[in-house]
Every structure is written in structure tokens, then in C-alpha cells.
């Protein structure tokens, strides 16, 4: 995977993060947003990951320096009893899929969670998103619930599956 590198996201990456996310919104297979998000909305999302030392937002660059994916660890819940549980999120640009980018990014995020002393990782995935479900199974995540007909998007509905991995 030497053709890809992972680094902390910067303000210069906001447009790429927004573009990758909005492509996912329009694909309707990995985001419950109905409309594309603005650059300022994505900036607010990045800025919500505080402290960044515990809740990183990272990008994956290809050998040409192009951002092809991004991911994060987010606070699972604001109540202190949940500290140590993180939500893992990742989005990969369509041209970079099936090239190991998702695997590289999820591996990095799980390592980062462990290094930060987190005790559990969680993620939410549309139940019909076979690629992400296969990736979670590869890393040993366990399905612990499903919310039927949870997401209604124009032209498609999704069940939501809930996954966890003890760290």
C-alpha cells in the first residue's frame, strides 16, 4: 500500500472531504443525508472532532497527492460514561474503491483508537452496503442490531446495521 499515505486532515483538504462525502450522498448507499453538504457544514463536522488528539480526522492521499478517502474517530456519546467508545467513519472516492484504501484506513483508525486508550469501536452501516459489511467482518466487528427501514432517501430505503469491536 505504499502508493497511499494517511495524514491528519487540514483546512486545505476540506474541499476534497466535501466532494468525497457529497458523492456518497448522491450515491445513496452510505450516508443518510438527502442533500449534498456545503463546505462550511463539512468544516463544522471536522471541527466537532475535539480534542483532535483523541478524535482524529484523517485523509488518504495517493502517490499523486490526491485525497482519495477520509475517515475519523468520533465521540460515541457526550455522556461521560461512554468515554472510551468511539464511532468509526470512513468514505472512499469511487475511483479508489477495491484497491485496499478502505482496509488501510480502517486499520489505521482502529490502531489510532487503541493508541488513544479507547475500549470499543462502533460503526453504523446500511444493511445492504455489502462492501462495508465485508470490511467490518474482516476486522472482527460483531453485528449487534439492525433498525429496519430506518433510512428513507429519495428512491431508496435502507435498514441500518450496528457493529462493535472491543479494542
Amino acid at each position: 500500500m505504499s502508493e497511499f499515505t494517511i495524514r491528519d486532515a487540514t483546512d486545505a483538504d476540506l474541499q476534497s472531504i466535501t466532494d468525497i462525502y457529497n458523492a456518497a450522498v448522491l450515491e445513496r448507499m452510505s450516508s443518510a443525508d438527502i442533500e449534498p453538504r456545503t463546505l462550511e457544514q463539512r468544516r463544522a463536522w471536522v471541527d466537532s472532532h475535539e480534542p483532535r488528539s483523541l478524535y482524529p480526522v484523517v485523509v488518504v492521499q495517493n502517490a499523486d497527492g490526491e485525497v482519495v478517502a477520509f475517515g475519523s474517530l468520533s465521540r460515541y456519546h457526550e455522556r461521560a460514561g461512554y468515554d472510551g467508545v468511539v464511532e468509526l467513519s470512513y468514505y472512499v472516492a469511487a475511483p479508489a474503491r477495491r484497491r485496499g484504501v478502505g482496509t488501510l484506513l480502517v486499520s489505521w483508525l482502529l490502531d489510532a483508537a487503541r493508541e488513544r486508550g479507547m475500549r470499543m469501536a462502533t460503526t453504523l452501516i446500511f444493511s445492504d452496503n455489502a462492501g462495508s459489511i465485508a470490511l467490518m467482518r474482516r476486522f472482527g466487528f460483531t453485528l449487534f442490531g439492525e433498525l429496519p427501514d430506518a433510512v428513507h432517501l429519495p428512491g431508496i430505503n435502507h435498514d441500518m446495521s450496528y457493529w462493535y469491536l472491543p479494542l
Side-chain angles (χ1 to χ4, degrees), residues 1-42:
M1 297 294 341
S2 62
E3 69 179 294
F4 299 106
T5 57
I6 297 177
R7 62 170 176 76
D8 289 336
T10 68
D11 283 348
D13 299 315
L14 280 171
Q15 188 63 59
S16 295
I17 289 170
T18 302
D19 292 345
I20 292 168
Y21 184 77
N22 283 342
V25 169
L26 296 175
E27 288 172 351
R28 309 222 186 280
M29 283 305 295
S30 60
S31 170
D33 276 321
I34 294 174
E35 297 293 329
R37 308 302 278 177
T38 66
L39 189 68
E40 287 309 310
Q41 288 169 321
R42 292 314 290 168

Side-chain angles (χ1 to χ4, degrees), residues 130-148:
S132 283
I133 287 174
L135 189 56
M136 292 306 103
R137 289 191 191 282
R138 177 179 181 165
F139 282 97
F141 277 76
T142 299
L143 174 67
F144 71 90
E146 194 163 87
L147 188 59

Side-chain angles (χ1 to χ4, degrees), residues 13-130:
D13 299 315
L14 280 171
Q15 188 63 59
S16 295
I17 289 170
T18 302
D19 292 345
I20 292 168
Y21 184 77
N22 283 342
V25 169
L26 296 175
E27 288 172 351
R28 309 222 186 280
M29 283 305 295
S30 60
S31 170
D33 276 321
I34 294 174
E35 297 293 329
R37 308 302 278 177
T38 66
L39 189 68
E40 287 309 310
Q41 288 169 321
R42 292 314 290 168
R43 181 187 312 277
W45 175 82
V46 170
D47 290 347
S48 74
H49 290 77
E50 290 295 332
R52 194 66 56 86
S53 60
L54 289 178
Y55 306 107
V57 178
V58 297
V59 296
V60 179
Q61 284 184 304
N62 64 17
D64 296 328
E66 176 187 12
V67 172
V68 297
F70 71 94
S72 68
L73 296 176
S74 302
R75 183 181 301 275
Y76 175 74
H77 198 283
E78 65 186 42
R79 294 184 185 129
Y82 292 105
D83 287 355
V85 180
V86 291
E87 181 179 341
L88 181 147
S89 301
Y90 64 94
Y91 292 88
V92 179
R97 293 180 192 151
R98 293 183 167 77
R99 297 182 54 205
V101 174
T103 300
L104 179 71
L105 185 52
V106 169
S107 178
W108 189 97
L109 289 167
L110 291 173
D111 287 347
R114 289 180 183 104
E115 290 167 6
R116 287 159 173 77
M118 300 301 171
R119 58 188 167 86
M120 184 179 301
T122 65
T123 193
L124 292 83
I125 302 171
F126 292 170
S127 297
D128 54 346
N129 185 333

